[in-house]
Structures are given as C-alpha cells and as structure tokens.
Amino acid sequence: MSDRSTDQNAELALLLEVSGTPKPGNVDREREYDDLRFEHFLAGAVGARPGLELAAAGERVGHAFERAVEGMSGQSGGNTQFGALLVLTPLVAAASADDLTTAGVERAVDQTTVADAADFYRAFEHVDVAVDDPPEGLEPLDVRRGSEAIPTLEKRGLTLSDVMAQSADVDGVAAEWSSGFERVFEAAEGILDDEGPVADRASRAFLRLLAAEVDTFVVTRNDRETAAEVQRRAQAVLDGEEDATELAAEFVARDVNPGTTADLVAGALFVALERGLVV
C-alpha cells in the first residue's frame, strides 16, 4: 500500500491519465495538438492540487472544484482537465470520509448545496468549456453565463446535484454524478485486474470505456454521427480489427477528441490508486 495522501493520489491520477498512450484523439505523451500540448496537462494537474487538497480536507465539493479549476487554468493551453476535476472532486470527498464506494459518492453528491452550484458556475469563468446550448426554457441557467446565472440558481433553489441531473442525459460526466459513478468504479476494477505499466492500463481502460458508450464531448464538439463512429472503431481496436496507434493519429488529425472518456479514466485511476494500485 502507498502512503500517498488522497489529494496526492488525485493529482497522480491526472498525470497518469495524460501519460497513457495511445488514447485515440486525446493528448498523450506521444500526441498533442498545436495549441494543446502534453505539458499543459502536466501543469494543469499540478495547478489543480490546492483545490483537490480542499476536497480531501472536507471543504464543500463546489468550492473545492472551483478552486481546482482556477489552479488548473494557470497554464497557457486553456481547459485541460475541467471535466476530470468534476469527476475527481466528489470522489476525493468520499475518499476523505473513508467511504470511496458508489453509496459514499452518492452521499457526497446528495450533500451538495446551492452554494456548490454557484461555485460550479463560477468555475466557467476561469476557462472556456465546450457545452451545448441549454434546452428551451433553461437559457437563464446557461453555464456560460457564469456568475450572472447565480441569482437564478438561488431563486430556484438548485443544488449542484440538481444541476448535474438536468444534464445527465446529454453529458457523460453529469451522468456519472447521477448514477453513483458506476462507469468509473467499473473501470477502476478493470485497471486493478489488468497487468503491466499503469499508463498502459489507462490506455486500455480508455478504449474499453470508449467502445461501451458514445463520448458526449465528441457529440458536442463534432456530432453524434462522429461519436458513433468513434465508439464503433474503438470496439474494432479491441477486436483486433484496427490499430490503436494509427487510429490515434487519425483522430488527432481530424480534431476528434473523446474528452469525456478521458475524464472517466482519471476518476478510475484515482479509485484504483486509493484501492492499492501500485505505481
């Protein structure tokens, strides 16, 4: 067992996630975009640490998340790990309460408040995040409004859990918040049962998750047809019909970035580290 603290494991999970390769379409230690590089993710992980420390110390989830995003944003690449931090923060909160289980994370989510929702909205002021337009009638709650939406949150009494529930059908991270992080915990078990270098296990976990469900970030940035293609071709890699490295090069060239899947891998790595994964 490691003597790393919970917040250290969260930071390490971010570092291991971006180190995994190949992860078709994502930045990794061998592939990057002109304006979004491997080094940006390393700096983002280090910058997020103070916010993760707050979550480990029992601070409100929303406050810890907003502080983590603020720290993450202190590099020149922009948004590197917004979604990953939204996955990690309630997991860290549950771990700090010695209850890193589906039920434990559900409790952490259920305990979020309107103040947490307000902090979540403030986090959007630190970096640009790719999101869809809100459904009709929810325009006042468009997350891109940042602090301007807080009076509406307060008037309607919406907690951060409520906000996540509203997006659970279109956003893969929000869906985890509403399901006890089922996919994250399942992926963590896969990582623990796997063998070899941890970064390689992360790459394989990424492909399994990508083949199982469409990546909602691809749906948002590209379209649903592309997301379905990504899912189909990830399964082809698992079936030995396509080469993962070649697919990674193609997706980067096409600017197809399955970021939601990477966010879930970061969460899975954290759970695995907390459960004894040796690095």
Side-chain angles (χ1 to χ4, degrees):
M1 293 290 291
S2 167
D3 59 359
R4 285 186 302 272
S5 63
T6 297
D7 52 278
Q8 286 176 322
N9 275 337
E11 179 184 26
L12 180 57
L14 292 171
L15 295 169
L16 289 170
E17 187 284 315
V18 74
S19 299
T21 185
K23 303 194 314 290
N26 282 175
V27 171
D28 61 29
R29 67 180 188 268
E30 295 182 2
R31 273 159 291 273
E32 54 190 19
Y33 294 91
D34 291 340
D35 59 348
L36 190 60
R37 302 189 298 273
F38 181 64
E39 65 196 57
H40 293 143
F41 283 80
L42 301 182
V46 173
R49 175 73 178 277
L52 297 170
E53 290 176 347
L54 290 175
E59 292 285 342
R60 289 188 295 101
V61 167
H63 177 57
F65 170 72
E66 190 268 333
R67 294 293 92 186
V69 170
E70 181 184 38
M72 175 270 290
S73 69
Q75 36 72 33
S76 61
N79 177 20
T80 51
Q81 289 127 326
F82 188 98
L85 292 171
L86 191 55
V87 171
L88 280 171
T89 310
L91 292 171
V92 171
S96 71
D98 294 322
D99 196 6
L100 187 55
T101 62
T102 294
V105 182
E106 286 179 338
R107 274 189 284 275
V109 167
D110 289 343
Q111 290 169 3
T112 60
T113 64
V114 176
D116 291 306
D119 285 325
F120 172 70
Y121 272 72
R122 291 187 185 99
F124 283 85
E125 298 177 348
H126 296 305
V127 289
D128 290 329
V129 182
V131 294
D132 284 325
D133 292 333
E136 185 175 353
L138 291 179
E139 291 86 356
L141 291 172
D142 188 339
V143 291
R144 291 168 295 192
R145 298 184 65 217
S147 297
E148 293 180 1
I150 292 176
T152 303
L153 288 171
E154 294 174 341
K155 181 178 180 180
R156 300 188 185 186
L158 295 175
T159 68
L160 183 49
S161 176
D162 295 330
V163 171
M164 291 295 104
Q166 289 182 345
S167 300
D169 58 340
V170 295
D171 182 273
V173 171
E176 288 296 284
W177 270 66
S178 299
S179 67
F181 289 74
E182 291 179 354
R183 298 185 74 202
V184 166
F185 281 105
E186 181 179 356
E189 290 304 311
I191 290 169
L192 287 166
D193 291 341
D194 202 352
E195 297 179 347
V198 175
D200 293 347
R201 301 192 208 186
S203 172
R204 290 189 286 269
F206 175 87
L207 283 165
R208 290 192 295 268
L209 284 165
L210 194 58
E213 292 188 19
V214 295
D215 186 288
T216 54
F217 192 64
V218 176
V219 175
T220 297
R221 290 185 75 247
N222 304 97
D223 51 52
R224 184 161 291 278
E225 181 181 358
T226 302
E229 177 199 348
V230 169
Q231 180 184 11
R232 183 176 65 253
R233 296 183 71 183
Q235 184 62 53
V237 170
L238 296 178
D239 293 339
E241 298 170 359
E242 286 214 51
D243 179 78
T245 300
E246 292 178 0
L247 189 62
E250 177 189 334
F251 282 172
V252 168
R254 291 171 54 188
D255 194 23
V256 176
N257 180 356
T260 298
T261 304
D263 299 337
L264 303 189
V265 171
L269 284 163
F270 170 72
V271 173
L273 289 166
E274 284 287 301
R275 292 182 174 179
L277 177 64
V278 176
V279 177

